[in-house]
Amino acid sequence: EDSWSKAEESYQPVPYDGQAVLFRAKVKTSVSAGTTFDVNDTHGWERFVTGDLESIEVPGDHSSMCEEPHVRVLASRLRTVLDKVMSPDEKS
């Protein structure tokens, strides 16, 4: 058994009282189809995030969104989110 499977099996999410951003894949795969909850824009994370939860769609599927060429779009959208929340003094 690999470390990814072990981590997935042992992960127990707990409520988070803050803002969060979910980057979700545009292409649905068996990862999203095999869930035990209704798949919506937040993929069930609204059960755990009690603050604002923003959902941003990125190209690709669950795996390929982190690979070329899709990762460039993911990085760009992540940069936009980070720029929005950082104060001018913290930007480098």
Side-chain angles (χ1 to χ4, degrees):
E1 189 172 18
D2 62 41
S3 59
W4 181 265
S5 296
K6 288 179 184 178
E8 185 178 21
E9 289 172 10
S10 64
Y11 179 67
Q12 295 295 318
V14 295
Y16 172 69
D17 185 29
Q19 293 181 289
V21 177
L22 170 69
F23 294 93
R24 61 183 175 83
K26 182 175 186 172
V27 177
K28 306 298 184 257
T29 63
S30 60
V31 171
S32 55
T35 58
T36 57
F37 53 86
D38 291 332
V39 176
N40 58 20
D41 285 351
T42 64
H43 289 268
W45 284 102
E46 75 280 0
R47 297 177 299 158
F48 304 106
V49 177
T50 59
D52 290 335
L53 176 58
E54 181 180 1
S55 177
I56 299 175
E57 186 177 80
V58 295
D61 63 26
H62 184 75
S63 298
S64 69
M65 66 188 260
C66 295
E67 299 171 353
E68 291 286 357
H70 305 309
V71 71
R72 293 177 185 268
V73 176
L74 174 61
S76 174
R77 296 202 177 135
L78 176 57
R79 171 53 57 199
T80 299
V81 169
L82 292 174
D83 286 346
K84 188 167 58 172
V85 299
M86 290 175 60
S87 71
D89 297 340
E90 294 175 354
K91 290 183 184 177
S92 52

